[in-house]
Amino acid sequence: MKALYRIVNALIAASVFPVAIFVDLFLFKLSTSFVDAGLEESFSIKFIIDVITGKEAMWHDLIFSDTSASFSWPAALNPIKGRLITCAVCFVLVILISLFIIVWSCCSNKRIPVLIASAGGLISTIVMIACFNSAAGLFIDGTINLFDVFSGGWLVSLVGNFVSVDKLMLGGIQNGFIFIFVGLLVWTGAYYLIEIGDTEEEKAKARR
């Protein structure tokens, strides 16, 4: 039974990685005063990597002015730099916590460290959501022009300031993280309570 618990624990924690890579990281919706229509797109980390490496040629050419994927921190993002860094740090923490749970589940039967780590992963996800939403609000209310971020490409000169951001939000990756860490908490917590009950029953039998 303990072996089953550890295997399931490791598998649940490992599911963070496909979620992080393939589930949409964020989505946005743009509108323009020229036409009564909007553009809505979502991006996963895999898609972003493909853009940077040039596998998604169209998006690569829109964002980068030359054929090399060079990137420097845009001045337009300075007002939300701290929030974006915190968001990135929380994302990395989620990955590291998942790795810890996998390794711990393979090496030990103790439940408390897994419960603490799962709670830490859940808190990191919630902070990541809060920081991203706070930063996204400045794009939606027009405080920051989204296209100023990509000032190296020709897209800015084409659309200028005639495009507004109607929606900018995490694309579902946060829901995957929450589901995984809540699942770990429920699974480990339930098993821990059952184990405590079994232990007390065994102690009672020993007294007889």
Side-chain angles (χ1 to χ4, degrees):
M1 191 65 177
K2 290 183 178 180
L4 176 63
Y5 160 77
R6 292 165 64 179
I7 292 171
V8 173
N9 231 30
L11 289 175
I12 294 175
S15 63
V16 161
F17 299 101
V19 169
I21 295 172
F22 297 106
V23 175
D24 290 336
L25 177 60
F26 67 91
L27 63 87
F28 66 87
K29 182 178 181 181
L30 306 178
S31 64
T32 175
S33 57
F34 292 124
V35 292
D36 187 20
L39 169 67
E40 185 167 349
E41 291 288 346
S42 58
F43 299 93
S44 65
I45 288 181
K46 181 181 182 303
F47 183 88
I48 293 172
I49 292 173
D50 288 343
V51 170
I52 293 175
T53 57
K55 293 181 180 179
E56 289 287 343
M58 182 187 74
W59 283 99
H60 181 278
D61 293 341
L62 288 176
I63 295 173
F64 299 104
S65 58
D66 54 20
T67 56
S68 62
S70 57
F71 179 80
S72 59
W73 185 267
L77 294 181
N78 286 337
I80 56 173
K81 185 175 182 178
R83 279 168 278 188
L84 293 180
I85 291 175
T86 302
C87 189
V89 168
C90 288
F91 180 87
V92 173
L93 278 176
V94 166
I95 302 301
L96 293 178
I97 288 170
S98 301
L99 280 172
F100 169 80
I101 294 174
I102 293 171
V103 174
W104 186 270
S105 298
C106 293
C107 300
S108 176
N109 286 318
K110 292 183 178 180
R111 320 284 183 248
I112 297 299
V114 175
L115 287 172
I116 295 173
S118 299
L122 185 59
I123 292 170
S124 296
T125 302
I126 293 172
V127 173
M128 181 181 73
I129 295 170
C131 289
F132 186 93
N133 289 344
S134 176
L138 297 183
F139 289 97
I140 295 173
D141 65 17
T143 303
I144 300 176
N145 188 326
L146 178 64
F147 295 99
D148 287 343
V149 178
F150 308 113
S151 57
W154 57 266
L155 185 60
V156 176
S157 61
L158 179 65
V159 298
N161 295 318
F162 296 102
V163 175
S164 62
V165 180
D166 294 335
K167 182 190 298 183
L168 179 59
M169 57 189 293
L170 290 172
I173 194 172
Q174 77 284 10
N175 296 328
F177 289 165
I178 290 174
F179 182 80
I180 289 168
F181 287 116
V182 168
L184 283 167
L185 284 169
V186 172
W187 170 253
T188 304
Y191 197 93
Y192 183 67
L193 292 175
I194 292 172
E195 191 176 56
I196 291 176
D198 289 343
T199 302
E200 293 299 327
E201 185 178 345
E202 290 173 1
K203 288 180 179 178
K205 288 180 179 179
R207 296 191 193 103
R208 295 173 186 171

